[in-house]
Amino acid sequence: MDYTTEATTFKSPPVTAPERPNYLNAGYTLRSWLLTLDHKRIAILYLISVSIFFALGSLFAMMVRLELLTPSGDLLQPDTYNRMFTMHGIIMVFFFLIPAIPAVLGNFLLPIMIGAKDLAFPKLNLASWYVYNLGGAFTLWALIHGGVDTGWTFYTPFSTTYSNTHVIAVALGVFINGFSTIFTGLNFIVTVHRMRAPGMTWFRLPLFIWSMYATSLIIVLGTPVIAITLLLVAAERLLHLGIFDPKLGGDPVLFQHLFWFYSHPAVYIMILPAMGVISELVAAFSRKRIFGYRIVAFASIAIAVLGFLVWGHHMFVSGQSIYAATVFSVLSMLVAIPSAVKVFNWTATLYEGSVSYETPMLYALGFIGLFTIGGLTGVMVATLGFDVHVHDTYFIVAHFHYVMVGGTIMAYLGGLHYWWPKMTGRLYNSFLSRISAMLVFVGFNLTFFPQFILGYLGMPRRYWAYPPEFQVLNVLSSAGASVLGLGFILPLCYFGYSLFKGRRSIDNPWGAVGLEWDTTSPPPTFNFDVIPVVTHGPYEYNPEQVHRVTHPEEAAVV
Amino acid sequence: MSSVAADPHAVHAHAQHHPSLAHQFDNLDQQRESSTLGMWIFLVTEIMFFGGLFTAYVIYRSQFSAAFQAASHHLNVIMGGANTAVLILSSLTMAMAIWAAQVNRRKLIVVFLILTMLLGATFLGVKYFEYKEKFTHHLVPGPNFEFDGPDPQHAQIFFSLYFIMTGLHALHMIIGIGVLTWLAVLSWKGRFNSEYHNPLECAGLYWHFVDIVWIFLFPLLYLLGAHAH
Amino acid sequence: MSEHVSSPRFYFLIFAALIVLTGVTVWVAEIDLGAANDVVALTIAVTKALLVMIFFMHLRHSTRLTVLTALAGFFWLAILILITMSDYVSRGVILPVPGK
């Protein structure tokens, strides 16, 4: 593969045949976008919203890392620092990580991948975007008025009684946002059950669909519990009820049970879609079906189910019974098994595959490595005896950033890079995109690997000052964060450029197999000119029969 | 087993496009099954939503049963029991409204929907009097709470849960009545018949669910202290 | 259309059963049966809920998927309540240490 010629995509689009009707040019008015029922347009609306919140959440991360450059608290007041990490967590978890892959890639691809015209409930889909923004508005209002300082975990009685920040507004913002997620999950479940094309049996579905389905199960079963919990926090704060306040006879550990019952499965809401993306990327860029398809499909369901049984591992030092803690510890190790199985299967897919290193694959390979580290450290902290030492230290912070950033965000970026030509009909500069991927990978590791060491050495999390002996590692971490930030900013530039000046893509620029690649790039409003009849399974890669795009010039429309 | 969703005979189905068939569906059966499944999934989210409150209730009751029993004794079993009967009757009228649609009796749909709404309003009326009574007896959690018993702190928690659980339930009833009002108007206009009445079916599911929540709330909240005279 | 139509008389019978069960649960609650009070009250409540779900909510004539969905909801609630309870119930329990 000749990489050097790829830098030629800075040319303006050549004179081409007139643009075919597709979902993007079917109406240019604001109204046609804001009142759309097309799942693809809703996906683009979500792309804009989640990107804005991601940028906002990153700003808070930047403030945290700036403060932590020096051991003493010299940049921010301690209360302000508390608000920084809290808003970073709340925005990233609820307004980016949970919705990103399902609402952007899931919304866009799910109907197409199953051969349907749209989701089961298009109006509900549009409603979910508006509800997302409504929840965001509450949170932004609170942000403007000083934010919240409770940690994204809202532990009581601080959040209910002692905090002097706008807890109720943020709690309501997250509560409302939860409905947005529930609407999406509900829509996905009904769509997958009832709207598959003729011949699309369950075991012919791409693994991305299995992941979205498993994710949706978690969403509908778990999200309502955090909804009621936050409602109780708001009620207690407003009416001084005492349900979670020990001074009034309440039980703060009960809050933690209710909170983590959702918030642990929530992490699987964040990672399962990512794993689904990785399955698609690994198959496409090894030109091979995923090894052990059925096992990977069942593993997704297993993760969803088992994920509901382990929440107490967040409460090992909260005063839980030691017997409950032990059982939670064992179950937490069990849930690692299906995740590990997936990593083995992706690796086995790569073996003797025809691997190529385009940008999406770089992200996928990065994911496999970083998720493995995140997952293994997850097993470490699932171990009760170990966790009591590293709980609430930077070890935990590093662990979850490895899975959420090294995992979910890498997969999200990989998916965006893979399906960008499909969604927009444009190609992006693949030299810049590869540089970006490298920056993300290097920057990420530089930011978070030192944090494992810091945590192990005893540096607590959520502290605004630390002992001077931890400074070198903190400086490394903050330096890494700058590199990582650059890696996130670059895609904004070349993706943005590609929308206006990028070369137009052919329908299947990667030579991949899947229903989404059988339709045009961008797809027509109703996805297919003729609803396909499916006669074979996914990932039917045959090097002789399927034409492989070997030269980037071939990916562009002439 | 209908694992394949689309109608293989979709070619001629397109020619008989039913006015109530949404564009993303191939036929009315698929649409009906989808909306029923979707509504049940929503009800599952409601089960988990109320479920968090039931969990809190179970935990506190198991730990402070004496205080909870004493507190529960202050609830009016007659009013609660009457309300239970009212809601069960409203479930009957709701089921009858759907039956009326199934047998194409347009006016009866409206009659039964209105009856259901009236019964719902009755329920809310009784609740209003119950709440007023609590307020008079200083049993509303907050600065005016007074409880003469050995464990007023946990009795207050009982009342916090009582108000939140029944309040949330009442809110669901109010929303339900609102939805039924709109459906009654649509029914009057002849929108529903034996071929298409999905919104009625979905509203019915919602209404019955709200009834089921009360079926559990009543014994847990009201009958706990019934024998503690 | 494959929809089953139940008769009004049938619905009325279910309604009557529900009223009777309500009466029974109030009557039993007045009698002190100790721990059994809770068991009886919950059993009756579950029975009433099942009657409403199977007959009024048409689970009887619904697809297997719908029934599974309904059951899953209650099963997950059971997970939430029972596992949370298991923490509280097992606190302060001291298991015998071998050798002592």
Side-chain angles (χ1 to χ4, degrees):
Chain A
M1 182 135 207
D2 185 353
Y3 299 126
T4 54
T5 54
E6 290 170 50
T8 60
T9 48
F10 280 114
K11 290 194 268 197
S12 53
V15 175
T16 63
E19 212 184 340
R20 292 162 300 186
N22 58 62
Y23 82 100
L24 283 174
N25 59 26
Y28 289 107
T29 63
L30 197 59
R31 191 192 160 91
S32 73
W33 277 92
L34 294 181
L35 291 180
T36 184
L37 293 178
D38 182 351
H39 65 100
K40 299 181 290 300
R41 286 196 164 201
I42 294 171
I44 302 297
L45 290 174
Y46 261 112
L47 175 61
I48 298 169
S49 296
V50 303
S51 302
I52 293 173
F53 278 99
F54 180 70
L56 198 53
S58 305
L59 285 177
F60 293 115
M62 190 181 80
M63 296 308 296
V64 167
R65 287 298 348 146
L66 276 176
E67 171 63 81
L68 292 177
L69 274 173
T70 59
S72 57
D74 41 15
L75 182 65
L76 304 165
Q77 294 299 310
D79 281 343
T80 313
Y81 183 78
N82 292 348
R83 293 162 203 239
M84 293 293 129
F85 66 69
T86 301
M87 296 314 294
H88 168 69
I90 290 174
I91 290 176
M92 287 305 202
V93 168
F94 294 110
F95 292 94
F96 179 71
L97 286 166
I98 285 175
I101 298 177
V104 178
L105 297 174
N107 260 330
F108 195 96
L109 295 165
L110 190 141
I112 305 180
M113 281 184 170
I114 68 172
K117 284 184 269 192
D118 205 318
L119 288 177
F121 308 117
K123 288 185 204 161
L124 190 66
N125 200 12
L126 182 66
S128 96
W129 182 70
Y130 278 104
V131 171
Y132 171 90
N133 287 309
L134 183 62
F138 272 77
T139 310
L140 285 175
W141 181 91
L143 185 56
I144 292 166
H145 289 88
V148 167
D149 62 354
T150 58
W152 81 276
T153 48
F154 292 103
Y155 272 17
T156 62
F158 182 65
S159 62
T160 51
T161 312
Y162 300 103
S163 171
N164 292 321
T165 56
H166 293 282
V167 175
I168 295 179
V170 176
L172 284 178
V174 174
F175 172 83
I176 292 168
N177 185 59
F179 280 101
S180 163
T181 323
I182 287 174
F183 290 167
T184 300
L186 191 158
N187 225 335
F188 283 3
I189 294 175
V190 178
T191 307
V192 174
H193 273 288
R194 293 272 171 249
M195 299 183 59
R196 285 167 283 130
M200 179 58 88
T201 59
W202 280 90
F203 290 116
R204 287 178 178 169
L205 289 169
L207 288 167
F208 179 73
I209 302 296
W210 276 96
S211 294
M212 295 313 309
Y213 182 76
T215 305
S216 302
L217 292 178
I218 304 178
I219 288 173
V220 303
L221 289 166
T223 313
V225 178
I226 196 175
I228 192 66
T229 310
L230 290 175
L231 213 59
L232 283 175
V233 166
E236 176 153 338
R237 197 171 162 81
L238 194 61
L239 306 167
H240 308 289
L241 292 176
I243 299 183
F244 299 129
D245 187 349
K247 265 175 49 181
L248 298 170
D251 185 355
V253 177
L254 178 62
F255 168 83
Q256 293 184 27
H257 274 296
L258 292 173
F259 177 82
W260 287 113
F261 179 84
Y262 163 76
S263 298
H264 186 79
V267 314
Y268 298 114
I269 296 176
M270 297 184 238
I271 201 63
L272 272 172
M275 290 173 160
V277 171
I278 298 304
S279 290
E280 300 302 314
L281 300 184
V282 167
F285 294 97
S286 322
R287 311 198 61 75
K288 228 178 126 192
R289 66 163 60 91
I290 293 288
F291 180 86
Y293 167 91
R294 286 202 184 204
I295 301 277
V296 175
F298 289 134
S300 301
I301 305 293
I303 291 171
V305 173
L306 287 176
F308 273 98
L309 305 177
V310 301
W311 77 84
H313 66 228
H314 297 272
M315 299 163 59
F316 281 156
V317 298
S318 298
Q320 210 176 199
S321 108
I322 189 71
Y323 305 107
T326 313
V327 172
F328 277 125
S329 178
V330 171
L331 288 171
S332 302
M333 294 185 201
L334 279 184
V335 79
I337 297 176
S339 304
V341 160
K342 287 195 180 199
V343 173
F344 294 145
N345 284 21
W346 292 319
T347 312
T349 309
L350 292 170
Y351 178 69
E352 288 193 343
S354 176
V355 179
S356 59
Y357 299 93
E358 284 92 332
T359 309
M361 187 55 152
L362 295 180
Y363 281 111
L365 292 172
F367 174 101
I368 294 176
L370 298 178
F371 175 74
T372 301
I373 296 176
L376 284 176
T377 51
V379 178
M380 288 168 75
V381 297
T383 310
L384 179 53
F386 180 73
D387 185 67
V388 293
H389 296 283
V390 299
H391 177 77
D392 270 349
T393 69
Y394 264 86
F395 194 93
I396 302 285
V397 175
H399 155 69
F400 67 67
H401 281 94
Y402 261 80
V403 279
M404 294 201 296
V405 183
T408 303
I409 296 189
M410 298 270 284
Y412 175 65
L413 288 172
L416 272 186
H417 283 80
Y418 180 53
W419 282 297
W420 187 262
K422 175 58 58 183
M423 290 162 71
T424 62
R426 303 281 186 155
L427 297 171
Y428 50 84
N429 184 314
S430 59
F431 175 71
L432 283 181
S433 62
R434 282 201 181 86
I435 297 287
S436 255
M438 302 295 193
L439 286 174
V440 168
F441 185 82
V442 168
F444 170 83
N445 280 298
L446 191 54
T447 311
F448 292 107
F449 198 83
Q451 292 185 8
F452 277 127
I453 306 172
L454 279 170
Y456 191 74
L457 291 176
M459 178 174 170
R461 66 185 283 200
R462 296 175 168 170
Y463 272 42
W464 128 109
Y466 54 82
E469 58 260 33
F470 292 149
Q471 183 169 21
V472 173
L473 289 166
N474 270 295
V475 170
L476 278 177
S477 179
S478 296
S482 316
V483 176
L484 183 60
L486 185 57
F488 287 145
I489 289 174
L490 265 180
L492 275 179
C493 304
Y494 58 74
F495 277 152
Y497 182 88
S498 85
L499 284 178
F500 301 103
K501 301 277 184 123
R503 306 184 72 178
R504 292 196 190 277
S505 170
I506 57 175
D507 293 342
N508 189 355
W510 310 109
V513 171
L515 282 182
E516 77 268 30
W517 300 109
D518 288 345
T519 188
T520 60
S521 291
T525 301
F526 292 109
N527 297 337
F528 302 98
D529 294 315
V530 176
I531 293 289
V533 176
V534 179
T535 53
H536 57 78
Y539 319 122
E540 291 280 311
Y541 284 97
N542 184 331
E544 288 86 43
Q545 287 178 333
V546 181
H547 173 67
R548 179 179 184 168
V549 172
T550 53
H551 196 278
E553 286 297 311
E554 292 179 45
V557 171
V558 178
Chain B
M1 167 116 75
S2 59
S3 55
V4 173
D7 183 353
H9 304 297
V11 172
H12 61 77
H14 186 77
Q16 322 156 2
H17 185 85
H18 193 282
S20 298
L21 183 65
H23 74 274
Q24 68 272 20
F25 293 115
D26 297 315
N27 56 65
L28 284 177
D29 272 346
Q30 186 193 30
Q31 182 173 267
R32 184 175 45 87
E33 283 179 11
S34 298
S35 64
T36 306
L37 179 62
M39 194 63 206
W40 269 105
I41 295 174
F42 176 67
L43 292 183
V44 165
T45 70
E46 291 274 48
I47 292 173
M48 297 308 292
F49 190 58
F50 277 96
L53 293 174
F54 279 99
T55 307
Y57 174 87
V58 166
I59 299 296
Y60 280 122
R61 164 146 167 204
S62 68
Q63 295 202 296
F64 307 110
S65 50
F68 266 46
Q69 272 189 19
S72 164
H73 189 53
H74 287 260
L75 294 184
N76 192 324
V77 176
I78 311 277
M79 284 174 130
N83 257 355
T84 310
V86 163
L87 269 194
I88 293 174
L89 182 58
S90 77
S91 269
L92 173 65
T93 53
M94 186 72 226
M96 289 303 296
I98 294 167
W99 169 81
Q102 287 175 324
V103 297
N104 282 311
R105 298 183 60 175
R106 180 184 64 98
K107 290 200 187 123
L108 264 188
I109 306 177
V110 183
V111 166
F112 281 120
L113 284 179
I114 291 180
L115 277 176
T116 310
M117 285 155 55
L118 284 174
L119 288 164
T122 308
F123 177 92
L124 290 172
V126 172
K127 273 246 85 51
Y128 167 76
F129 284 111
E130 275 190 284
Y131 279 7
K132 210 170 99 154
E133 201 183 27
K134 299 285 160 303
F135 186 72
T136 320
H137 293 139
H138 298 282
L139 291 173
V140 176
N144 295 325
F145 184 78
E146 281 168 26
F147 187 79
D148 56 343
D151 190 358
Q153 257 196 352
H154 294 114
Q156 185 168 187
I157 291 193
F158 174 88
F159 282 104
S160 297
L161 287 173
Y162 166 79
F163 278 105
I164 293 178
M165 291 169 94
T166 59
L168 190 63
H169 177 265
L171 179 63
H172 278 74
M173 296 251 1
I174 294 170
I175 294 172
I177 293 174
V179 169
L180 289 184
T181 310
W182 174 54
L183 288 181
V185 171
L186 286 180
S187 305
W188 179 256
K189 291 185 177 174
R191 183 99 167 82
F192 305 122
N193 50 52
S194 56
E195 255 196 329
Y196 173 76
H197 51 267
N198 295 347
L200 283 178
E201 182 78 39
C202 290
L205 288 176
Y206 175 83
W207 193 266
H208 296 307
F209 172 76
V210 177
D211 184 16
I212 290 177
V213 172
W214 184 260
I215 283 174
F216 283 99
L217 283 183
F218 174 60
L220 287 177
L221 293 173
Y222 288 79
L223 300 182
L224 176 48
H227 55 264
H229 287 307
Chain C
M1 277 287 278
S2 50
E3 224 188 337
H4 180 100
V5 183
S6 301
S7 73
R9 188 175 160 276
F10 183 73
Y11 284 136
F12 188 82
L13 281 174
I14 301 296
F15 160 75
L18 287 167
I19 295 292
V20 165
L21 284 171
T22 307
V24 168
T25 201
V26 172
W27 177 65
V28 170
E30 306 273 331
I31 309 166
D32 189 351
L33 298 167
N37 272 113
D38 287 349
V39 176
V40 170
L42 277 176
T43 309
I44 294 179
V46 167
T47 310
K48 288 162 77 179
L50 281 172
L51 283 174
V52 172
M53 288 199 291
I54 296 173
F55 299 109
F56 283 161
M57 294 170 90
H58 303 143
L59 269 186
R60 189 163 76 138
H61 305 298
S62 294
T63 61
R64 268 193 324 185
L65 178 61
T66 308
V67 175
L68 191 63
T69 307
L71 287 176
F74 288 104
F75 182 72
W76 246 258
L77 178 57
I79 292 176
L80 171 59
I81 295 180
L82 291 174
I83 298 186
T84 307
M85 273 299 290
S86 77
D87 168 25
Y88 287 88
V89 155
S90 60
R91 289 186 198 173
V93 170
I94 300 173
L95 289 181
V97 176
K100 285 206 174 159

